[in-house]
Amino acid sequence: MTPAVMALQRAGIRHTLHAYEHDPGTDSYGLEAAQALRVPGERVFKTLVARDDSEGLLVALVPVTAQLDLKRLAAAHGSKRLAMASPADAQRATGYVVGGISPLGQKRRLPLWLDRSALDHVTVYVSAGRRGLEIELAPRDLLDLTGGRTADIARVG
């Protein structure tokens, strides 16, 4: 049981766990999850950690078929400039390994931004806190549990 799953259970939030065989040689954890679970990539969200030099770290979730637009995220967050956090910093702050970073049950609760496209779906998939395990839940429940906000932060292509 991961901290992400325990957080959902404690909060009584309805969710479904989906396990799949993780390929250690993959270079795209999110796309691997979408393909393994036979789910459109627009419904599978990757968890990314960015750094704001003045405020520290924040979490962004975008579909695995898109890229994070740091300028849009900075504008939504009210920052002048953001950069991606190093993998070591992301792992240290969240308590999860890269490729398995969940937006839920993090070691330190970081400000969270969810791409607005998530609200187009009844449920979305996010990492459950380890490679090869995804959580399916309603985007509003994800926002309620994390205190997250939405913004147009994804860029396709």
Side-chain angles (χ1 to χ4, degrees):
M1 198 67 60
T2 68
V5 176
M6 290 188 295
L8 286 167
Q9 290 175 341
R10 274 193 309 274
I13 292 177
R14 188 177 184 167
H15 65 282
T16 305
L17 289 178
H18 299 275
Y20 62 92
E21 189 65 37
H22 165 63
D23 175 5
T26 191
D27 59 350
S28 177
Y29 302 109
L31 287 175
E32 176 192 38
Q35 291 167 352
L37 299 174
R38 295 186 172 96
V39 176
E42 297 78 25
R43 289 185 58 206
V44 180
F45 284 70
K46 55 187 169 185
T47 307
L48 303 168
V49 180
R51 174 173 296 286
D52 177 332
D53 289 336
S54 64
E55 292 186 37
L57 302 175
L58 60 143
V59 173
L61 282 93
V62 297
V64 300
T65 53
Q67 295 177 359
L68 174 61
D69 187 316
L70 285 169
K71 287 183 181 180
R72 289 182 188 174
L73 178 60
H77 190 63
S79 301
K80 288 187 180 189
R81 202 164 122 184
L82 296 174
M84 294 306 297
S86 73
D89 286 346
Q91 289 179 173
R92 203 171 14 262
T94 65
Y96 295 115
V97 298
V98 171
I101 295 178
S102 179
L104 304 164
Q106 295 179 352
K107 193 172 168 184
R108 220 172 65 211
R109 189 173 183 175
L110 301 173
L112 182 138
W113 289 93
L114 175 64
D115 186 66
R116 191 164 309 183
S117 67
L119 301 178
D120 295 339
H121 308 287
V122 174
T123 61
V124 295
Y125 293 70
V126 298
S127 176
R130 71 172 170 83
R131 297 171 186 158
L133 188 63
E134 294 283 309
I135 296 169
E136 179 183 3
L137 76 166
R140 290 282 178 203
D141 289 339
L142 173 62
L143 291 169
D144 289 345
L145 187 58
T146 61
R149 295 174 276 178
T150 61
D152 292 318
I153 58 171
R155 179 173 26 93
V156 178

